[in-house]
Amino acid sequence: MKKISVLNDVMGPVMHGPSSSHTAAPFFIGTIARALLGEEPASATFAFDPMGSFAQVYRQQGSDLGFAAGLMGLPITDETFPRALDLAAEKGIEIRFAVEPLSEADHPNTVEIRMTSRGGRKLSAAAQSIGGGAIQFTRVSQWPAELRGDAHEMLMEVTRTAGPEVLECLKREVKWVGAPERQAKRGLVVLHVKLQSALDPETKSRLRALPGVSQLWTAPPVFFPLRGEPLFASAEEMLALAGSRSLSLGRIALAYESELLGLPEQEVMAEVVRRFEVMRTSVHHGLEGKLPPMQLLHPSARKIFRAEAESRLAVGGIHTRAGARALAVMHINSGGGVVCAAPTAGSAGVIPGVLVSLVEDKGLS
């Protein structure tokens, strides 16, 4: 059963709109692809199956910008995100998007990645956007894989005869989580290890120099690594645990996330507050007069908010203001601005609309 994280799966990601699946996920895929390549990219082709959704919307929903920004190593909220393709060209990175039949397209959001570094290193991989900004790499080079961006990952390709010796060296050199996964094919073996932390350059160089090692790929987490176990797996268990500890549902959720991520509760709360401030900023920005253009609609949240304040609506009150605030966030999202998906970009307005209304209209902390 998948471990559900509040920050990874419910209240996030913080991202440029308009789509968590088609804008944020491509950014995360591009980020991991850059890391797997291991050198500064010179060229990249992102190929989409003609029957998949990427082929239909990659320009309209900013998938091309997400792939390019991730490939360059930009932060996801970088103000230059809308210019990512131009910036890549200025840096001499050739990015191409192709629509062609893919043999691995068993998901509508599948992308095949073909990259070359400035030093001549090559990477072939396949990845999928699986909803709400979540991703998975399903292949690295010739090897089936499962990289979800929630751990420090390392894959080593070695000759079959060198495999045992390399594994013993890994035990001395790195600290891993769980047991290494092993695949074999035509005299080669790939070892897939989840690490407790990123490899330093010196350790990476020593591992690459081991006899029998032909390839080494590493990838950082793009979400919070899951270091612990969930405190509960159902609403019933949550209620029971909250009762036994005399905690509110909010406090037991905080304890859950702290345990799952292996972080102090203060750090988890600080990140929650940071994301709330992203939400509040998107509300305020969406109620301003000058907004980034949307593709199909004209902004209306500001008009509704002002009409409610002037008692010109048949039904007003905090519920109407919350609705207008939620709509304001969606204006920002649709215009490619920065929002906090909750849990997707398509529903990014509801939680901010409610929370900001409670804070600003009811004075809650």
Side-chain angles (χ1 to χ4, degrees), residues 17-343:
S19 171
S20 46
S21 293
H22 294 132
T23 317
F27 171 85
F28 296 135
I29 290 171
T31 299
I32 292 179
R34 174 188 173 90
L36 291 171
L37 182 64
E39 294 181 352
E40 195 65 27
S43 65
T45 295
F46 298 95
F48 315 126
D49 192 85
M51 300 302 291
S53 59
F54 272 140
Q56 311 304 319
V57 302
Y58 74 93
R59 293 199 186 281
Q60 297 92 326
Q61 297 208 343
S63 307
D64 49 358
L65 300 177
F67 285 122
L71 192 66
M72 289 187 290
L74 296 178
I76 193 170
T77 56
D78 197 285
E79 63 181 13
T80 63
F81 187 96
R83 296 187 55 246
L85 290 172
D86 293 334
L87 290 175
E90 291 170 10
K91 290 176 178 289
I93 304 174
E94 181 184 349
I95 299 179
R96 177 174 172 265
F97 299 96
V99 177
E100 59 191 46
L102 302 181
S103 61
E104 301 164 290
D106 57 353
H107 188 285
N109 289 336
T110 297
V111 55
E112 185 176 283
I113 305 156
R114 302 186 288 269
M115 296 172 60
T116 303
S117 75
R118 297 193 189 281
R121 184 176 295 174
K122 294 184 180 297
L123 173 74
S124 172
Q128 298 170 344
S129 163
I130 57 176
I135 63 163
Q136 61 181 10
F137 273 70
T138 57
R139 178 178 57 80
V140 176
S141 187
Q142 62 176 314
W143 301 101
E146 187 176 339
L147 281 66
R148 294 181 175 268
D150 57 4
H152 294 276
E153 311 264 11
M154 180 181 72
L155 293 92
M156 291 184 71
E157 184 184 271
V158 303
T159 59
R160 191 187 297 266
T161 54
E165 182 180 345
V166 170
L167 190 56
E168 286 301 314
C169 181
L170 282 178
K171 291 178 181 179
R172 297 190 301 269
E173 290 278 1
V174 303
K175 295 180 179 180
W176 59 56
V177 179
E181 298 177 6
R182 181 182 183 277
Q183 298 179 60
K185 184 187 297 184
R186 294 191 297 273
L188 292 174
V189 171
V190 70
L191 301 171
H192 181 186
V193 182
K194 294 183 184 295
L195 306 171
Q196 291 185 8
S197 59
L199 284 182
D200 60 78
E202 292 77 16
T203 301
K204 194 180 295 187
S205 295
R206 286 197 300 271
L207 293 175
R208 278 204 171 103
L210 289 174
V213 174
S214 54
Q215 292 281 1
L216 187 147
W217 301 279
T218 60
V222 292
F223 308 110
F224 282 100
L226 306 181
R227 298 187 174 96
E229 295 297 323
L231 291 179
F232 47 81
S234 68
E236 181 181 14
E237 292 179 9
M238 180 183 186
L239 289 170
L241 187 61
S244 68
R245 296 189 180 184
S246 300
L247 294 175
S248 68
L249 294 182
R251 283 293 171 183
I252 202 65
L254 179 62
Y256 170 99
E257 192 73 355
S258 172
E259 180 70 21
L260 182 62
L261 301 184
L263 296 174
E265 290 189 5
Q266 297 91 328
E267 288 189 29
V268 175
M269 181 57 77
E271 180 60 21
V272 170
V273 171
R274 185 186 77 85
R275 296 191 186 195
F276 169 72
E277 292 302 334
V278 172
M279 293 179 175
R280 175 153 48 186
T281 299
S282 63
V283 167
H284 291 169
H285 188 188
L287 292 174
E288 294 173 355
K290 187 176 181 180
L291 294 175
M294 296 186 287
Q295 293 188 30
L296 298 176
L297 303 175
H298 297 291
S300 56
R302 176 182 170 89
K303 294 179 182 178
I304 296 171
F305 199 78
R306 292 181 64 180
E308 192 281 332
E310 297 168 1
S311 300
R312 291 189 286 111
L313 299 179
V315 179
I318 191 171
H319 298 88
T320 299
R321 292 193 294 276
R325 287 177 171 123
L327 190 58
V329 175
M330 296 314 297
H331 292 342
I332 299 301
N333 179 66
S334 297
V338 175
V339 299
C340 180

